[in-house]
Amino acid sequence: MRLFDTKRREIVPFEPGPVVTMYTCGITPYDSTHLGHAATYLTYDVLQRRLRDLGHETRCVRNITDVDDSILPKARELGVHYLDLAAAEMARFDADMEALGMLPAYSEPRATSAIPDIRGFIGMVIDSGHAYESGGSVYFEVATLRSFGSLSGLSREDMLALAAERGGNPDDPNKRDPLDFVLWQPSADDEPSWESMWGPGRPGWHIECSTLCLRELGTTIDLHGGGSDLIFPHHECEAAQSEAATGQPLVRHWMHQAMVHMDGEKMSKSLGNLVFVSDLAQEWDPRAIRLACVAHHYRESWEY
């Protein structure tokens, strides 16, 4: 099998052992599954099925981000507990995945299940000399890792622009560098909070995936996936903190799914230009929805 590797920017042989370890970034469960989600998870479903055809065992972990800067404001807006919101949306997501004929995930761990592991992982990053405390938060210091930026291949200017657009908060005055990113942060008064040696608070966005990947699959995995909008900052930061903590690369092969567009823009919750799988399934056979997605090459964006 030959697959395009995002970091190497070329099609290369994908030659895993008998057991293939894979991690794909899951949803933040504050809204329904849209067609962009479906296209992404179908790509890794097809990949797993082909690998199984070839005689491999596949272990694909897909996390659930049930505490972060997206789900908490939505729960506040709706006046519900954030975990109740997550439970309701995960039930809908699971029903959508089943309707589309997806293989079940090997493991589907929740971020809130891993708080002790996350605290321990942050401690490893600090002990390695790659993180610092400031203003009640813990930040990863990107200047300490020469490989930072190698996955995305972006210039510093482009990374700063995307960090501002995608929740990286480069204007945070507590940072030594605008590109430094949060590992642990204080919680607002109405947000969930856990005790830590850096004070009460909650995890940053990126740290959960590194922690869960290490806990569920080991130090270095065969393949990491997700939408191409996660290359920076999420996967870049994830790779950096994992390498800092373990001294080993996180991933042997990076594989990213292109975006599904609608009205000329990427289909996303923030823009609201969404087509929900559950709505489509009321009108069409779910197998037709599946076919509509896999008819497109996974690295080519397409318009709904």
Side-chain angles (χ1 to χ4, degrees), residues 149 152-162 179 232:
S152 62
L154 296 171
S155 66
R156 177 179 173 86
E157 182 180 22
D158 287 341
M159 285 193 285
L160 283 169
L162 284 174
L179 285 176
F232 190 90

Side-chain angles (χ1 to χ4, degrees), residues 121 206-214 238-239 241-242 250:
F121 195 99
H206 314 300
I207 197 70
E208 65 168 297
C209 285
S210 286
T211 303
L212 292 170
C213 193
L214 177 64
E238 189 186 341
Q241 63 201 8
S242 292
L250 170 64

Side-chain angles (χ1 to χ4, degrees), residues 1 3-8 12-24 44 47-48 51 56-61 213 216-225 249-255:
M1 183 181 291
L3 294 172
F4 186 86
D5 182 270
T6 306
K7 186 172 183 176
R8 284 175 278 185
V12 296
F14 181 60
E15 299 171 331
V19 178
V20 186
T21 51
M22 305 168 61
Y23 188 97
T24 62
Y44 302 104
L47 175 62
Q48 284 191 83
L51 287 166
H56 297 273
E57 176 187 343
T58 64
R59 297 179 181 176
C60 186
V61 173
C213 193
E216 302 288 317
L217 295 173
T219 302
T220 303
I221 66 171
D222 292 311
L223 184 140
H224 197 316
L250 170 64
V251 179
R252 296 185 183 93
H253 194 109
W254 289 94
M255 177 181 174

